[in-house]
Amino acid sequence: QVQLVESGGGLVQSGGSLSVSCAASGSIFNIRTMGWYRQAPGKQRELVATIGSGGSIDYANSVKGRFAISRDNAKRTVYLQMDSLKPEETAVYYCYAVVKSNIAVIYRDYWGQGTQVTVSS
């Protein structure tokens, strides 16, 4: 079994900064992509940023230059530093990872339970 546990998030004023992190645990053989998605009320879940095991990074256009994703492979943890936050970025932020467990033949997607980020105007 594989678990993704997020931490961080909370309430911040517009223009402020916040960070979230996500640690993967369980029967893990290898982790490929890790990343973050978000879902605002009434909207579809959308990509925020992803990072490959080799460090390749992809950002949503809307967060480029303001958000920074990083990962610590030894700790199986992915981080997201969010600066210059906007009220419209209020959402539940979900951790995501593509993982091959010790008992699996193939890689599959795993999701965290989500952490609330609220940006007040």
Side-chain angles (χ1 to χ4, degrees), residues 32-102:
R32 284 181 175 169
T33 302
M34 300 186 81
W36 295 92
Y37 284 69
R38 65 189 178 191
Q39 187 167 19
K43 294 188 176 181
Q44 289 188 329
R45 191 172 297 189
E46 63 176 4
L47 167 74
V48 177
T50 60
I51 182 167
S53 57
S56 60
I57 290 174
D58 184 31
Y59 290 108
N61 287 333
S62 60
V63 307
K64 285 181 180 178
R66 299 185 297 116
F67 288 17
I69 190 171
S70 60
R71 68 188 276 177
D72 184 328
N73 289 329
K75 295 182 178 179
R76 295 172 172 171
T77 299
V78 61
Y79 307 91
L80 184 68
Q81 174 66 37
M82 302 178 285
D83 298 327
S84 302
L85 280 160
K86 305 173 183 178
E88 56 265 36
E89 295 180 308
T90 293
V92 177
Y93 283 67
Y94 294 93
C95 177
Y96 162 80
V98 181
V99 179
K100 184 178 182 298
S101 72
N102 286 327

Coordinates of all heavy atoms in Angstrom, one line a residue, residues 32-102:
R32 N 8.2 7.8 -10.0 CA 8.5 8.6 -11.2 C 8.1 10.1 -10.9 O 8.7 10.7 -10.1 CB 7.8 8.1 -12.4 CG 8.4 6.8 -13.0 CD 7.7 6.3 -14.2 NE 8.4 5.1 -14.8 CZ 7.9 4.4 -15.7 NH1 6.7 4.7 -16.2 NH2 8.6 3.4 -16.2
T33 N 7.0 10.5 -11.6 CA 6.6 11.9 -11.4 C 5.9 12.1 -10.1 O 5.2 11.3 -9.6 CB 5.6 12.2 -12.5 OG1 6.2 12.0 -13.8 CG2 5.1 13.7 -12.4
M34 N 6.2 13.3 -9.5 CA 5.5 13.8 -8.3 C 5.0 15.2 -8.7 O 5.6 15.9 -9.5 CB 6.3 13.8 -7.1 CG 6.9 12.5 -6.7 SD 7.8 12.5 -5.1 CE 6.4 12.5 -3.9
G35 N 3.9 15.6 -8.0 CA 3.4 16.9 -8.4 C 2.2 17.3 -7.6 O 1.9 16.7 -6.6
W36 N 1.7 18.5 -8.0 CA 0.5 19.1 -7.3 C -0.5 19.5 -8.4 O -0.2 20.0 -9.4 CB 1.0 20.3 -6.6 CG 1.9 20.0 -5.5 CD1 3.3 20.0 -5.5 CD2 1.6 19.7 -4.1 NE1 3.8 19.6 -4.3 CE2 2.8 19.5 -3.4 CE3 0.4 19.6 -3.5 CZ2 2.8 19.1 -2.1 CZ3 0.4 19.2 -2.1 CH2 1.6 19.0 -1.5
Y37 N -1.8 19.2 -8.0 CA -2.9 19.6 -8.7 C -3.8 20.4 -7.7 O -3.6 20.3 -6.5 CB -3.7 18.5 -9.2 CG -3.2 17.8 -10.4 CD1 -2.0 17.1 -10.4 CD2 -3.8 17.9 -11.7 CE1 -1.4 16.5 -11.5 CE2 -3.2 17.3 -12.8 CZ -2.1 16.6 -12.7 OH -1.5 16.0 -13.8
R38 N -4.7 21.2 -8.2 CA -5.6 21.9 -7.3 C -7.0 21.9 -7.9 O -7.2 21.8 -9.1 CB -5.1 23.4 -7.1 CG -5.2 24.2 -8.3 CD -4.5 25.6 -8.1 NE -4.5 26.4 -9.2 CZ -3.7 27.5 -9.3 NH1 -3.0 27.9 -8.3 NH2 -3.8 28.2 -10.5
Q39 N -8.0 22.0 -7.0 CA -9.4 22.1 -7.4 C -10.1 23.1 -6.5 O -10.2 23.0 -5.3 CB -10.0 20.7 -7.2 CG -11.4 20.6 -7.7 CD -11.9 19.2 -7.8 OE1 -11.4 18.3 -7.2 NE2 -13.0 19.0 -8.7
A40 N -10.6 24.1 -7.2 CA -11.4 25.2 -6.6 C -12.8 24.8 -6.6 O -13.2 23.9 -7.4 CB -11.2 26.5 -7.4
P41 N -13.6 25.3 -5.7 CA -15.0 25.0 -5.7 C -15.7 25.2 -7.0 O -15.6 26.2 -7.6 CB -15.6 25.9 -4.6 CG -14.4 26.3 -3.7 CD -13.2 26.3 -4.7
G42 N -16.4 24.2 -7.5 CA -17.2 24.3 -8.7 C -16.3 24.2 -10.0 O -16.8 24.3 -11.1
K43 N -15.0 23.9 -9.8 CA -14.2 23.8 -11.0 C -13.5 22.4 -11.0 O -13.5 21.7 -10.1 CB -13.1 24.9 -10.9 CG -13.6 26.3 -11.0 CD -12.5 27.3 -11.2 CE -13.1 28.7 -11.4 NZ -12.0 29.7 -11.6
Q44 N -13.0 22.1 -12.2 CA -12.3 20.9 -12.4 C -10.9 20.9 -11.8 O -10.3 22.0 -11.6 CB -12.1 20.5 -13.9 CG -13.4 20.2 -14.5 CD -13.2 19.7 -16.0 OE1 -12.3 20.1 -16.7 NE2 -14.1 18.7 -16.4
R45 N -10.4 19.8 -11.4 CA -9.0 19.7 -10.9 C -8.0 20.0 -12.0 O -8.2 19.6 -13.2 CB -8.7 18.3 -10.4 CG -7.4 18.1 -9.6 CD -7.3 16.7 -9.0 NE -8.4 16.5 -8.0 CZ -8.4 15.4 -7.2 NH1 -7.4 14.6 -7.2 NH2 -9.4 15.3 -6.3
E46 N -7.0 20.9 -11.7 CA -6.1 21.3 -12.7 C -4.7 21.1 -12.2 O -4.4 21.2 -11.0 CB -6.3 22.8 -13.0 CG -6.1 23.7 -11.9 CD -6.3 25.2 -12.3 OE1 -6.6 25.5 -13.4 OE2 -6.0 26.1 -11.4
L47 N -3.8 21.0 -13.2 CA -2.4 20.8 -12.9 C -1.8 22.1 -12.4 O -2.1 23.2 -12.9 CB -1.6 20.5 -14.2 CG -0.1 20.6 -14.2 CD1 0.5 19.4 -13.4 CD2 0.5 20.6 -15.6
V48 N -1.0 22.0 -11.4 CA -0.2 23.2 -10.9 C 1.3 23.0 -11.3 O 1.8 23.9 -12.0 CB -0.3 23.3 -9.3 CG1 0.6 24.4 -8.8 CG2 -1.7 23.4 -8.9
A49 N 1.9 21.9 -10.9 CA 3.3 21.6 -11.3 C 3.6 20.2 -11.1 O 3.0 19.5 -10.2 CB 4.2 22.5 -10.4
T50 N 4.5 19.7 -11.9 CA 5.0 18.3 -11.7 C 6.5 18.3 -11.8 O 7.1 19.2 -12.4 CB 4.4 17.4 -12.7 OG1 4.8 17.8 -14.0 CG2 2.9 17.3 -12.6
I51 N 7.1 17.3 -11.2 CA 8.6 17.2 -11.3 C 8.9 15.7 -11.5 O 8.4 14.8 -10.7 CB 9.3 17.8 -10.1 CG1 10.8 17.7 -10.1 CG2 8.7 17.2 -8.8 CD1 11.5 18.5 -9.1
G52 N 9.8 15.4 -12.4 CA 10.2 14.0 -12.7 C 11.3 13.6 -11.7 O 11.9 14.4 -11.0
S53 N 11.5 12.3 -11.7 CA 12.6 11.8 -10.8 C 13.9 12.3 -11.2 O 14.8 12.4 -10.3 CB 12.6 10.2 -10.9 OG 12.8 9.8 -12.3
G54 N 14.1 12.7 -12.4 CA 15.4 13.3 -12.8 C 15.5 14.8 -12.6 O 16.5 15.5 -12.9
G55 N 14.3 15.4 -12.2 CA 14.3 16.8 -12.0 C 13.6 17.7 -13.1 O 13.5 18.9 -12.9
S56 N 13.1 17.0 -14.1 CA 12.4 17.8 -15.1 C 11.1 18.4 -14.5 O 10.4 17.7 -13.8 CB 12.1 16.9 -16.3 OG 11.3 15.8 -15.9
I57 N 10.8 19.6 -14.8 CA 9.7 20.3 -14.2 C 8.7 20.9 -15.2 O 9.1 21.3 -16.3 CB 10.2 21.5 -13.3 CG1 11.0 20.9 -12.1 CG2 9.1 22.4 -12.9 CD1 11.7 22.0 -11.3
D58 N 7.5 20.8 -14.9 CA 6.4 21.4 -15.7 C 5.5 22.2 -14.8 O 5.1 21.8 -13.8 CB 5.6 20.3 -16.4 CG 4.6 20.8 -17.4 OD1 4.8 21.9 -17.9 OD2 3.5 20.2 -17.5
Y59 N 5.2 23.5 -15.2 CA 4.3 24.3 -14.5 C 3.1 24.7 -15.3 O 3.3 24.9 -16.5 CB 5.0 25.6 -14.1 CG 6.1 25.5 -13.0 CD1 7.5 25.7 -13.4 CD2 5.8 25.3 -11.7 CE1 8.5 25.6 -12.4 CE2 6.8 25.2 -10.7 CZ 8.1 25.4 -11.1 OH 9.1 25.3 -10.1
A60 N 2.0 24.9 -14.7 CA 0.9 25.6 -15.3 C 1.3 27.0 -15.7 O 2.0 27.6 -14.9 CB -0.3 25.6 -14.4
N61 N 0.9 27.5 -16.8 CA 1.3 28.9 -17.2 C 0.9 29.9 -16.1 O 1.6 30.9 -15.9 CB 0.6 29.2 -18.5 CG 1.2 28.5 -19.7 OD1 2.4 28.1 -19.7 ND2 0.4 28.3 -20.7
S62 N -0.2 29.7 -15.5 CA -0.7 30.7 -14.5 C 0.2 30.8 -13.3 O 0.1 31.8 -12.5 CB -2.1 30.3 -14.1 OG -2.1 29.0 -13.4
V63 N 1.1 29.8 -13.0 CA 1.9 29.9 -11.8 C 3.4 30.1 -12.1 O 4.2 30.2 -11.2 CB 1.7 28.6 -10.9 CG1 0.2 28.4 -10.6 CG2 2.3 27.4 -11.6
K64 N 3.7 30.1 -13.3 CA 5.2 30.2 -13.7 C 5.7 31.6 -13.1 O 5.1 32.6 -13.3 CB 5.3 30.2 -15.2 CG 5.2 28.8 -15.8 CD 5.4 28.8 -17.3 CE 5.2 27.4 -17.9 NZ 5.3 27.5 -19.4
G65 N 6.9 31.5 -12.6 CA 7.5 32.6 -12.0 C 7.1 32.9 -10.6 O 7.7 33.8 -9.9
R66 N 6.1 32.3 -10.1 CA 5.6 32.5 -8.7 C 5.7 31.3 -7.8 O 5.8 31.4 -6.6 CB 4.1 33.0 -8.7 CG 3.9 34.3 -9.5 CD 2.5 34.8 -9.4 NE 1.5 33.9 -10.0 CZ 0.6 33.2 -9.3 NH1 0.5 33.4 -8.0 NH2 -0.2 32.4 -9.9
F67 N 5.5 30.1 -8.4 CA 5.5 28.8 -7.7 C 6.8 28.1 -8.0 O 7.3 28.2 -9.1 CB 4.3 28.0 -8.0 CG 3.0 28.4 -7.5 CD1 2.8 29.7 -7.1 CD2 1.9 27.5 -7.5 CE1 1.6 30.1 -6.6 CE2 0.7 27.9 -7.0 CZ 0.5 29.2 -6.6
A68 N 7.3 27.3 -7.0 CA 8.5 26.5 -7.3 C 8.3 25.1 -6.7 O 8.0 25.0 -5.5 CB 9.7 27.2 -6.6
I69 N 8.5 24.2 -7.5 CA 8.3 22.8 -7.1 C 9.7 22.2 -6.9 O 10.6 22.5 -7.7 CB 7.5 21.9 -8.1 CG1 7.1 20.6 -7.5 CG2 8.1 21.8 -9.4 CD1 6.1 19.8 -8.3
S70 N 9.9 21.3 -5.9 CA 11.1 20.6 -5.8 C 10.8 19.3 -5.1 O 9.7 19.0 -4.6 CB 12.1 21.4 -4.9 OG 11.5 21.7 -3.6
R71 N 11.8 18.4 -5.1 CA 11.6 17.1 -4.5 C 12.9 16.6 -3.9 O 14.0 16.9 -4.3 CB 11.0 16.1 -5.5 CG 11.9 15.6 -6.6 CD 11.2 14.8 -7.6 NE 11.1 13.4 -7.2 CZ 10.5 12.4 -7.9 NH1 9.9 12.8 -9.0 NH2 10.5 11.2 -7.5
D72 N 12.7 15.8 -2.9 CA 13.8 15.1 -2.2 C 13.6 13.6 -2.4 O 12.7 13.0 -1.7 CB 13.9 15.5 -0.7 CG 15.1 14.9 0.0 OD1 15.5 13.8 -0.4 OD2 15.6 15.5 0.9
N73 N 14.3 13.0 -3.3 CA 14.1 11.6 -3.6 C 14.4 10.7 -2.5 O 13.7 9.7 -2.3 CB 14.9 11.2 -4.8 CG 14.4 11.8 -6.1 OD1 13.2 12.1 -6.3 ND2 15.3 12.1 -7.0
A74 N 15.4 11.0 -1.7 CA 15.7 10.2 -0.5 C 14.6 10.2 0.5 O 14.3 9.2 1.1 CB 17.0 10.7 0.1
K75 N 13.9 11.3 0.6 CA 12.8 11.4 1.6 C 11.5 11.1 0.9 O 10.4 11.2 1.6 CB 12.8 12.8 2.2 CG 14.0 13.1 3.1 CD 13.9 14.5 3.7 CE 15.0 14.8 4.6 NZ 15.0 16.2 5.2
R76 N 11.5 10.9 -0.4 CA 10.2 10.6 -1.1 C 9.2 11.7 -0.9 O 8.0 11.5 -0.7 CB 9.7 9.3 -0.7 CG 10.5 8.1 -1.1 CD 10.0 6.8 -0.5 NE 10.7 5.6 -1.0 CZ 10.6 4.4 -0.6 NH1 9.8 4.2 0.4 NH2 11.3 3.4 -1.1
T77 N 9.7 13.0 -0.9 CA 8.9 14.1 -0.6 C 8.9 15.1 -1.7 O 10.0 15.4 -2.3 CB 9.3 14.7 0.7 OG1 9.2 13.8 1.8 CG2 8.5 16.0 1.1
V78 N 7.8 15.7 -2.0 CA 7.7 16.8 -3.0 C 7.2 18.1 -2.3 O 6.4 18.0 -1.3 CB 6.8 16.4 -4.1 CG1 5.4 16.2 -3.7 CG2 6.8 17.5 -5.2
Y79 N 7.8 19.2 -2.7 CA 7.5 20.5 -2.0 C 6.9 21.4 -3.1 O 7.3 21.4 -4.3 CB 8.7 21.1 -1.4 CG 9.5 20.2 -0.5 CD1 10.5 19.3 -1.0 CD2 9.2 20.1 0.9 CE1 11.2 18.5 -0.1 CE2 9.9 19.2 1.7 CZ 10.9 18.4 1.2 OH 11.6 17.6 2.1
L80 N 6.1 22.4 -2.6 CA 5.6 23.4 -3.5 C 5.7 24.7 -2.7 O 5.0 24.9 -1.7 CB 4.2 23.2 -4.0 CG 3.6 24.2 -5.0 CD1 4.4 24.1 -6.3 CD2 2.1 23.9 -5.2
Q81 N 6.5 25.6 -3.2 CA 6.6 27.0 -2.6 C 5.7 27.9 -3.5 O 5.9 28.0 -4.7 CB 8.0 27.5 -2.5 CG 8.2 28.9 -2.1 CD 7.8 29.1 -0.6 OE1 8.0 28.3 0.2 NE2 7.2 30.3 -0.4
M82 N 4.8 28.6 -2.8 CA 3.9 29.4 -3.6 C 4.0 30.9 -3.1 O 3.8 31.2 -1.9 CB 2.4 28.9 -3.3 CG 2.2 27.5 -3.7 SD 0.5 26.9 -3.4 CE 0.6 26.7 -1.6
D83 N 4.4 31.7 -4.0 CA 4.6 33.1 -3.7 C 3.6 34.0 -4.5 O 3.0 33.5 -5.5 CB 6.0 33.6 -4.1 CG 7.1 32.9 -3.3 OD1 6.8 32.5 -2.1 OD2 8.2 32.6 -3.8
S84 N 3.4 35.2 -4.1 CA 2.5 36.1 -4.7 C 1.1 35.5 -5.0 O 0.6 35.6 -6.1 CB 3.1 36.6 -6.1 OG 4.3 37.2 -5.8
L85 N 0.6 34.8 -4.0 CA -0.7 34.1 -4.2 C -1.8 35.1 -4.4 O -1.9 36.2 -3.9 CB -1.0 33.3 -2.9 CG -0.2 32.0 -2.8 CD1 -0.1 31.5 -1.4 CD2 -0.9 31.0 -3.8
K86 N -2.8 34.6 -5.2 CA -4.0 35.4 -5.6 C -5.2 34.7 -5.0 O -5.3 33.5 -4.8 CB -4.1 35.4 -7.1 CG -2.8 35.9 -7.8 CD -3.0 35.8 -9.3 CE -1.7 36.2 -10.0 NZ -1.8 36.0 -11.5
P87 N -6.3 35.5 -4.7 CA -7.5 34.9 -4.1 C -8.1 33.8 -5.0 O -8.7 32.9 -4.5 CB -8.4 36.2 -4.1 CG -7.5 37.3 -3.9 CD -6.3 37.0 -4.7
E88 N -8.0 34.0 -6.3 CA -8.5 33.0 -7.2 C -7.8 31.6 -7.2 O -8.2 30.7 -7.8 CB -8.6 33.5 -8.7 CG -7.3 33.9 -9.2 CD -7.0 35.4 -9.1 OE1 -7.5 36.0 -8.1 OE2 -6.4 36.0 -10.0
E89 N -6.7 31.6 -6.4 CA -5.9 30.4 -6.3 C -6.4 29.6 -5.0 O -5.8 28.6 -4.7 CB -4.4 30.6 -6.3 CG -4.0 31.2 -7.6 CD -2.5 31.5 -7.7 OE1 -2.0 32.2 -6.9 OE2 -1.9 31.0 -8.7
T90 N -7.4 30.1 -4.4 CA -8.0 29.4 -3.3 C -8.5 28.0 -3.8 O -9.3 28.0 -4.7 CB -9.1 30.2 -2.6 OG1 -8.6 31.3 -2.0 CG2 -9.9 29.4 -1.6
A91 N -8.1 27.0 -3.2 CA -8.4 25.6 -3.7 C -7.9 24.6 -2.7 O -7.2 24.9 -1.8 CB -7.8 25.4 -5.1
V92 N -8.4 23.4 -2.9 CA -7.8 22.2 -2.3 C -6.6 21.8 -3.2 O -6.8 21.5 -4.4 CB -8.8 21.1 -2.1 CG1 -8.0 19.9 -1.5 CG2 -9.9 21.5 -1.2
Y93 N -5.4 21.7 -2.6 CA -4.2 21.3 -3.3 C -4.0 19.8 -3.1 O -3.8 19.4 -1.9 CB -3.1 22.1 -2.9 CG -3.1 23.5 -3.6 CD1 -4.1 24.4 -3.2 CD2 -2.2 23.9 -4.5 CE1 -4.2 25.7 -3.8 CE2 -2.3 25.2 -5.1 CZ -3.3 26.0 -4.8 OH -3.4 27.3 -5.4
Y94 N -3.9 19.0 -4.1 CA -3.7 17.6 -4.0 C -2.3 17.2 -4.5 O -1.8 17.6 -5.6 CB -4.7 16.9 -4.9 CG -6.1 17.0 -4.4 CD1 -6.9 18.0 -5.0 CD2 -6.6 16.1 -3.5 CE1 -8.3 18.1 -4.5 CE2 -8.0 16.3 -3.1 CZ -8.8 17.3 -3.6 OH -10.0 17.4 -3.2
C95 N -1.7 16.4 -3.7 CA -0.4 15.8 -4.1 C -0.6 14.6 -5.0 O -1.7 13.9 -4.9 CB 0.3 15.3 -2.8 SG 1.9 14.4 -3.1
Y96 N 0.3 14.4 -5.9 CA 0.1 13.3 -6.9 C 1.5 12.7 -7.1 O 2.5 13.3 -7.1 CB -0.3 14.0 -8.2 CG -0.1 13.2 -9.5 CD1 -1.0 12.2 -9.9 CD2 0.9 13.5 -10.4 CE1 -0.9 11.5 -11.0 CE2 1.1 12.8 -11.5 CZ 0.2 11.8 -11.9 OH 0.3 11.1 -13.0
A97 N 1.4 11.4 -7.3 CA 2.7 10.7 -7.6 C 2.4 9.4 -8.5 O 1.4 8.8 -8.4 CB 3.4 10.2 -6.3
V98 N 3.4 9.1 -9.3 CA 3.3 7.9 -10.2 C 4.3 7.0 -9.5 O 5.5 7.2 -9.6 CB 3.7 8.3 -11.6 CG1 3.6 7.0 -12.5 CG2 2.7 9.3 -12.2
V99 N 3.7 5.9 -9.0 CA 4.5 5.0 -8.1 C 4.4 3.5 -8.6 O 3.3 3.1 -9.0 CB 4.0 5.1 -6.7 CG1 4.8 4.2 -5.8 CG2 4.1 6.5 -6.2
K100 N 5.5 2.8 -8.5 CA 5.5 1.4 -8.6 C 5.7 0.8 -7.2 O 6.8 1.0 -6.6 CB 6.5 0.9 -9.6 CG 6.5 -0.6 -9.9 CD 7.5 -1.0 -10.9 CE 7.4 -2.5 -11.2 NZ 7.7 -3.3 -10.0
S101 N 4.7 0.1 -6.7 CA 4.9 -0.5 -5.4 C 5.7 -1.8 -5.5 O 6.0 -2.3 -6.6 CB 3.5 -0.8 -4.8 OG 2.9 -1.9 -5.5
N102 N 6.1 -2.3 -4.4 CA 6.9 -3.5 -4.4 C 6.1 -4.7 -4.9 O 6.8 -5.7 -5.3 CB 7.4 -3.8 -3.0 CG 8.5 -2.8 -2.5 OD1 9.3 -2.4 -3.4 ND2 8.5 -2.5 -1.3

